[in-house]
Amino acid sequence: MNIPKNLLFLIGQRNNKVKREDLRIRDPFIVRKDNKYYMYRAVNDESPERIDVYESDDLDNWYNPRTIYTLTNDTWKEKDLWAPEVHEYHNKYYLFVSIKGKNGIRGTEISVCDTPYGTFVPIANRAQTPSNMSSIDGTFFLDNDTPYIIFSRDWPDNYQKEKNAYVGQICGQELSKDLKTLVGEPFLLFNSDDVLYSKKSPSRHMFEDLGFITRYGSDAPFINKLSNGKLFLTWCPFPNNNYVVLGAKADNIRGPWTHIEKPLFDKNGGHAMFFTTTDGKMKMVIHYPEEHLKERALILNAIEKDDQLIVE
């Protein structure tokens, strides 16, 4: 029996499973569909930069890597694919990914596909975050029928002279129903140094063209709606250069936000998102540790308790 080479290749990819602990990945994002899990991985140390997706049946073994997005520099974009997220909206799937533009400002671009594993195409020739704000880690939030992009505004355009530091902010922006257009003005959810856990221990970082800076980081916002209708937001600062996952809760997206001082995770790992397994259990996935080339997807049990999410 002669099996076509392309079919043999696909069979080999499926059988050649990679253990989660052997797959380097930053900012993991997992989508469940039809009893399968899809995990998205930014590849930004090769040319061209790209986003790959892996499949799994059990969250431990991953196979069939496919490229769903390739960075081109023939539009507003230059380099640095970060933090891919895929969200279902109006029966389509939308990829949110952070990219540095040719103007030196980072933004979050949105692309669309009919499936969570196909080729994603940008919905517009621009980022869907404000063009004058360095905006990374954009995530999707739907408030009834009103879509928002929630993002981190961070270095290098938020230096506050009176604090001699870069102060990260979690911000939001309403989007049009087709997600292509910004509606109204961006709004502030909170500053990183509004939160005692972050304020008491700023980090020191070496960044390109900036040298060592003092920074109150504000990475990785992600929003869950709890069973009582309240919102629970996770995000990641760097107190004492230790990556942590903090939580905050509010009645609506514009706040005010009540901050929970006990971290959900404080062992130098983060960029959290939450998903539900095929048997209905909630999980939090982060990359761990926050150490170059050693990052892996760490999946932890999560539950809703006392108007918040906690990790068991």
Side-chain angles (χ1 to χ4, degrees):
M1 178 180 176
N2 292 322
I3 301 176
K5 289 184 178 180
N6 61 339
L7 182 56
L8 283 172
F9 174 77
L10 292 174
I11 293 171
Q13 286 288 295
R14 182 178 178 87
N15 292 334
N16 188 22
K17 294 182 178 180
V18 179
K19 288 288 187 182
R20 177 159 42 90
E21 59 265 29
D22 295 327
L23 180 62
R24 188 211 170 196
I25 184 168
R26 288 186 62 82
D27 311 337
F29 196 92
I30 295 175
V31 170
R32 177 175 61 85
K33 179 177 172 58
D34 298 333
N35 296 321
K36 278 191 182 300
Y37 302 99
Y38 298 91
M39 182 164 66
Y40 301 88
R41 175 175 180 254
V43 181
N44 49 33
D45 56 357
E46 298 177 11
S47 182
E49 297 184 47
R50 66 183 191 273
I51 305 296
D52 289 345
V53 63
Y54 287 74
E55 295 180 33
S56 179
D57 305 304
D58 58 10
L59 295 173
D60 289 321
N61 299 284
W62 297 87
Y63 57 86
N64 197 21
R66 283 170 280 183
T67 296
I68 61 168
Y69 178 97
T70 302
L71 180 65
T72 62
N73 61 5
D74 56 350
T75 59
W76 68 277
K77 298 165 281 192
E78 183 183 22
K79 63 178 182 177
D80 295 346
L81 289 182
W82 293 350
E85 299 191 6
V86 171
H87 298 269
E88 187 174 6
Y89 173 65
H90 289 178
N91 299 315
K92 290 186 180 293
Y93 291 85
Y94 289 85
L95 169 70
F96 288 55
V97 61
S98 301
I99 308 173
K100 186 176 181 179
K102 291 176 180 176
N103 63 355
I105 300 294
R106 301 182 189 274
T108 297
E109 178 191 71
I110 302 176
S111 297
V112 65
C113 183
D114 290 333
T115 70
Y117 46 77
T119 300
F120 283 78
V121 178
I123 62 174
N125 182 20
R126 55 156 294 161
Q128 275 67 51
T129 44
S131 61
N132 62 341
M133 298 168 61
S134 184
S135 308
I136 64 170
D137 297 349
T139 191
F140 182 62
F141 174 67
L142 188 64
D143 185 14
N144 295 318
D145 195 37
T146 301
Y148 292 88
I149 186 168
I150 309 301
F151 57 91
S152 166
R153 182 187 183 191
D154 211 325
W155 58 272
D157 70 340
N158 59 346
Y159 180 74
Q160 296 188 14
K161 185 176 180 180
E162 67 277 12
K163 299 176 182 178
N164 192 28
Y166 289 83
V167 180
Q169 300 174 321
I170 302 298
C171 299
Q173 175 80 60
E174 183 180 339
L175 298 173
S176 59
K177 295 293 192 291
D178 62 6
L179 310 186
K180 293 181 180 180
T181 306
L182 283 68
V183 177
E185 297 296 325
F187 56 91
L188 176 69
L189 278 67
F190 55 87
N191 294 292
S192 180
D193 67 344
D194 291 341
V195 184
L196 180 60
Y197 197 97
S198 174
K199 182 178 182 178
K200 64 185 179 183
S201 304
S203 60
R204 292 275 291 168
H205 290 280
M206 170 67 79
F207 283 120
E208 57 186 35
D209 303 326
L210 295 175
F212 276 103
I213 65 170
T214 299
R215 177 186 175 213
Y216 298 93
S218 58
D219 279 9
F222 186 84
I223 297 179
N224 282 279
K225 182 170 281 191
L226 303 181
S227 58
N228 61 6
K230 292 184 181 294
L231 304 183
F232 188 82
L233 181 150
T234 48
W235 65 291
C236 296
F238 298 84
N240 285 329
N241 290 64
N242 178 45
Y243 210 32
V244 303
V245 180
L246 294 182
K249 55 186 178 180
D251 291 330
N252 63 76
I253 192 63
R254 295 178 184 267
W257 290 88
T258 300
H259 297 279
I260 298 162
E261 288 299 321
K262 183 179 179 180
L264 283 77
F265 190 88
D266 63 357
K267 298 178 176 63
N268 200 35
H271 208 108
M273 65 85 57
F274 294 78
F275 66 98
T276 304
T277 62
T278 54
D279 57 357
K281 295 179 180 178
M282 180 180 288
K283 302 283 186 179
M284 180 180 82
V285 60
I286 62 174
H287 73 248
Y288 169 82
E290 171 64 11
E291 188 173 342
H292 184 56
L293 300 181
K294 295 184 179 181
E295 308 96 323
R296 300 294 187 268
L298 177 63
I299 298 176
L300 302 167
N301 295 323
I303 60 171
E304 182 179 330
K305 183 179 181 181
D306 299 330
D307 290 345
Q308 66 185 71
L309 298 180
I310 61 173
V311 175
E312 297 182 307

